[in-house]
Amino acid sequence: METRVRFAPSPTGPLHIGGVRTALICYLFAKKNKGIFILRIEDTDQNRYVEGSEAYIQNALEWTGMVPDEGPANGGDFGPYRQSERKNIYQEHIQELIAKGKAYYAFDDTETLAEARKNAEKKGNSFRYGAENRMQFNNSLTLTKAEIDARLKGDYVVRLKVDPGNIITVYDEIRGTIQQDSNLLDDKILLKADGMPTYHFANVVDDYLMKITTVIRGEEWLPSLPIHQLLYDAFDWTAPQFMHLPLILKPSGKGKLSKRDGDKEGFPVFPLNWGDVAKGFKENGFLAEGFINYLALLGWNSGTEQEVFSLKELETDFSVQGIQKGGARFDYEKAKWINHQHLSAMEATDIYHFDLIKKQLQGVDSSKHLSLLELLKERLFTLNDLAQEIEWIQEPQNYDEKIVQKLLSKGALEVMQGMLDILKEVSDLSDLKEALMPWAKKNGINTGVMMQSLRVALVGKLAGPDIFEICNLLGKDVTLERIALAISYFNSKT
Ligand code: GLU
């Protein structure tokens, strides 16, 4: 049987990284099994619908390289792939359940239900519309045929008729067997007063009709599983395989990672920007591969030491056994480290393609762009780090005062003067190192002080890439100029 896995987000705003992680596991499971990855938009809740979210979801999947084989954008044999376009299908199926006596119409108004809820809560019980009390309400189990027909002209819902006294057993590939006492379930609404199906109903009908073999989703849906099982049973359908993924937890403390955590600590929790409201990993300088690689590690491990994977490698190395049961703690520093691994392994010419990179190189002599990237790529954690890494290429320089004082006390002025004289004589900058070393040795100059003085003169601080590479990039004239400038600055501090 062909493996068919669907990612079924609701278009209620930008897709949180938890959603992208679900999409990733769906995608990897499909690819690993040479199956089909499907995007289904679950847009039956009109109150929560947010314009633009479907396009956002599509763009996020395309950015990460997880392009659906079937979905609203590229079609397929099991469409429509938007639930709002499948109303007729749900109507047909709801009729089937009603005819079988597995579901029933309910006509209770909100006041009646609110009253019943209040009464139950007064007695310290939580209200449940189900086997115990359904015969006290206005529904197709209690009304006459004529009354039902009359009421069907107005507002109504359709409820699942949950049989009491059963233990419902479901199996999750990650969590194992789960049992649920049917007495604790209410008669879930399947079709709402607006004619739209609820999540449970649409989800099960579509998974069946779309021939989904494996349902992969977040752990928050685990409590729905027994209800879904009842629906499969009601239709006499075989349920697919289920996998509920562990939560993504806050960087510290209890609970799920939220947008608020990101806002507070300055990291994104969405793949792409969502207007000015939410920051994206992409715009924060992540490579799609770095982002995806990190997400894969949130709740999964390969069973080896390997942590850096391309999407292609993940497609082959992924296995369900590697998925953990417990929540996975989000760690932005780790995400950046993974991104850094991918960036350092890239060719400078490929890094140069990114608009984020080009923007930061504006104003820098274009003949130096590639050499700069070559020199600095191993220092980048995100694409946005380039600007601070190339500060030194532009004048004016700021000198780190503490270092200036320290170097002054170690004779940096004389050392810089000596270096200036040597540099003037050097015709090829790549010979500079070879010229400086014997000079330092001969004159008893501490090479540490020499290198640090040169670095501070050129860069202003002690950090940065190889100093002789920096000389090369700046060229002889600029290097001379900067040493001369540093000498006068150091002089002014004596
Ligand atoms: N529409 C649900 C969501 O937004 C999908 C849950 C499922 O995959 O069954 O997460």
Side-chain angles (χ1 to χ4, degrees):
M1 192 172 35
E2 181 172 61
T3 300
R4 292 177 56 83
V5 191
R6 89 303 192 271
F7 172 51
S10 299
T12 54
L15 187 64
H16 181 273
I17 56 167
V20 188
R21 201 265 319 251
T22 302
L24 175 62
I25 304 296
C26 291
Y27 173 87
L28 294 178
F29 187 82
K31 293 294 148 188
K32 174 88 192 217
N33 293 290
K34 312 220 173 331
I36 303 292
F37 173 56
I38 299 148
L39 173 65
R40 182 174 75 222
I41 299 293
E42 300 209 325
D43 56 349
T44 58
D45 190 344
Q46 285 161 337
N47 298 324
R48 292 180 63 225
Y49 181 81
V50 176
E51 198 64 46
S53 347
E54 184 185 320
Y56 180 98
I57 292 164
Q58 189 73 37
N59 292 340
L61 292 181
E62 276 168 26
W63 175 56
T64 54
M66 301 187 283
V67 182
D69 301 307
E70 294 174 23
N74 43 347
D77 293 342
F78 298 84
Y81 292 91
R82 261 180 222 107
Q83 290 188 325
S84 58
E85 294 165 15
R86 300 172 65 82
K87 267 171 102 171
N88 293 344
I89 300 175
Y90 306 126
Q91 280 296 344
E92 249 171 61
H93 282 84
I94 207 77
Q95 290 311 323
E96 185 182 332
L97 284 193
I98 293 170
K100 282 178 147 178
K102 304 282 184 189
Y104 60 94
Y105 296 110
F107 306 103
D108 315 282
D109 52 37
T110 30
E111 291 77 39
T112 313
L113 293 176
E115 186 64 29
R117 180 175 307 275
K118 224 169 74 193
N119 288 337
E121 281 164 6
K122 246 195 239 156
K123 288 185 204 143
N125 302 327
S126 55
F127 174 66
R128 199 181 298 126
Y129 193 124
E132 253 178 57
N133 58 6
R134 62 167 82 105
M135 298 313 281
Q136 297 156 24
F137 290 104
N138 283 323
N139 53 49
S140 52
L141 306 172
T142 59
L143 300 175
T144 63
K145 169 98 176 58
E147 281 171 323
I148 297 168
D149 288 344
R151 288 196 185 233
L152 282 176
K153 297 198 175 81
D155 279 351
Y156 62 87
V157 299
V158 176
R159 287 182 183 268
L160 177 67
K161 193 168 166 234
V162 178
D163 289 337
N166 290 330
I167 296 295
I168 305 157
T169 304
V170 288
Y171 185 77
D172 179 86
E173 298 295 322
I174 298 164
R175 312 195 155 253
T177 301
I178 296 156
Q179 294 197 311
Q180 167 77 47
D181 178 351
S182 74
N183 288 351
L184 300 177
L185 295 177
D186 54 355
D187 286 354
K188 282 271 176 275
I189 295 181
L190 303 179
L191 199 75
K192 295 178 284 188
D194 63 3
M196 281 291 200
T198 54
Y199 158 70
H200 303 296
F201 189 62
N203 194 268
V204 166
V205 168
D206 287 347
D207 283 344
Y208 176 75
L209 294 178
M210 293 181 179
K211 294 200 173 4
I212 300 304
T213 53
T214 312
V215 167
I216 302 176
R217 59 188 165 204
E219 189 183 274
E220 63 274 26
W221 299 104
L222 198 57
S224 304
L225 192 50
I227 298 151
H228 295 188
Q229 186 62 51
L230 288 180
L231 280 166
Y232 284 103
D233 294 345
F235 279 113
D236 276 325
W237 292 340
T238 309
Q241 188 184 37
F242 294 102
M243 263 176 232
H244 290 81
L245 304 174
L247 292 177
I248 299 180
L249 305 172
K250 292 176 183 305
S252 58
K254 278 196 197 136
K256 257 186 9 181
L257 176 71
S258 71
K259 176 172 181 303
R260 214 148 12 105
D261 300 313
D263 290 346
K264 209 168 67 196
E265 293 182 39
F267 57 75
V269 299
F270 298 97
L272 311 173
N273 274 4
W274 172 256
D276 308 328
V277 187
K279 287 247 158 287
F281 272 81
K282 180 180 181 204
E283 293 80 0
N284 266 45
F286 272 73
L287 302 170
E289 287 225 317
F291 172 62
I292 281 300
N293 185 168
Y294 177 63
L295 282 190
L297 300 181
L298 274 176
W300 173 81
N301 74 76
S302 64
T304 69
E305 294 288 292
Q306 188 179 351
E307 288 194 302
V308 180
F309 295 89
S310 67
L311 186 57
K312 280 270 158 283
E313 284 172 320
L314 286 171
E315 286 174 21
T316 50
D317 292 7
F318 174 77
S319 74
V320 179
Q321 292 72 35
I323 299 178
Q324 70 194 43
K325 281 198 182 71
R329 206 170 272 298
F330 180 79
D331 177 352
Y332 191 52
E333 292 308 312
K334 178 79 183 270
K336 286 201 296 189
W337 182 83
I338 293 281
N339 197 53
H340 165 71
Q341 302 299 318
H342 285 269
L343 261 172
S344 338
M346 274 175 83
E347 297 293 334
T349 43
D350 293 331
I351 299 178
Y352 193 46
H353 287 313
F354 290 101
D355 288 341
L356 284 179
I357 289 290
K358 293 216 173 94
K359 227 163 74 195
Q360 294 168 89
L361 285 169
Q362 264 166 23
V364 175
D365 176 358
S366 61
S367 68
K368 293 184 175 162
H369 286 182
L370 279 178
S371 335
L372 269 173
L373 284 176
E374 194 53 63
L375 175 62
L376 295 170
K377 64 178 190 169
E378 277 168 29
R379 301 178 59 83
L380 304 181
F381 283 76
T382 75
L383 293 169
N384 290 347
D385 291 346
L386 184 64
Q388 78 190 35
E389 287 294 335
I390 56 170
E391 268 172 355
W392 51 267
I393 202 114
Q394 311 283 31
E395 300 237 47
Q397 295 287 309
N398 291 316
Y399 302 103
D400 181 329
E401 279 309 325
K402 259 208 206 134
I403 311 286
V404 171
Q405 288 307 325
K406 192 180 124 203
L407 288 174
L408 266 175
S409 70
K410 295 191 173 168
L413 260 172
E414 294 72 28
V415 175
M416 283 197 282
Q417 192 54 58
M419 286 195 290
L420 196 63
D421 295 338
I422 290 179
L423 182 61
K424 279 181 192 156
E425 300 305 315
V426 167
S427 53
D428 186 345
L429 272 183
S430 47
D431 297 337
L432 181 61
K433 192 173 181 181
E434 274 74 72
L436 286 177
M437 288 306 177
W439 168 76
K441 198 165 175 203
K442 192 166 138 212
N443 296 286
I445 292 166
N446 178 314
T447 49
V449 171
M450 178 179 80
M451 302 292 271
Q452 290 187 358
S453 305
L454 183 59
R455 186 173 285 280
V456 169
L458 300 183
V459 178
K461 55 186 180 205
L462 288 185
D466 182 86
I467 194 62
F468 295 104
E469 294 285 355
I470 290 181
C471 291
N472 266 330
L473 267 157
L474 292 175
K476 184 166 172 177
D477 292 347
V478 176
T479 306
L480 281 172
E481 245 169 56
R482 288 199 187 177
I483 298 177
L485 210 70
I487 291 175
S488 52
Y489 183 81
F490 273 59
N491 256 324
S492 73
K493 295 283 163 181
T494 52

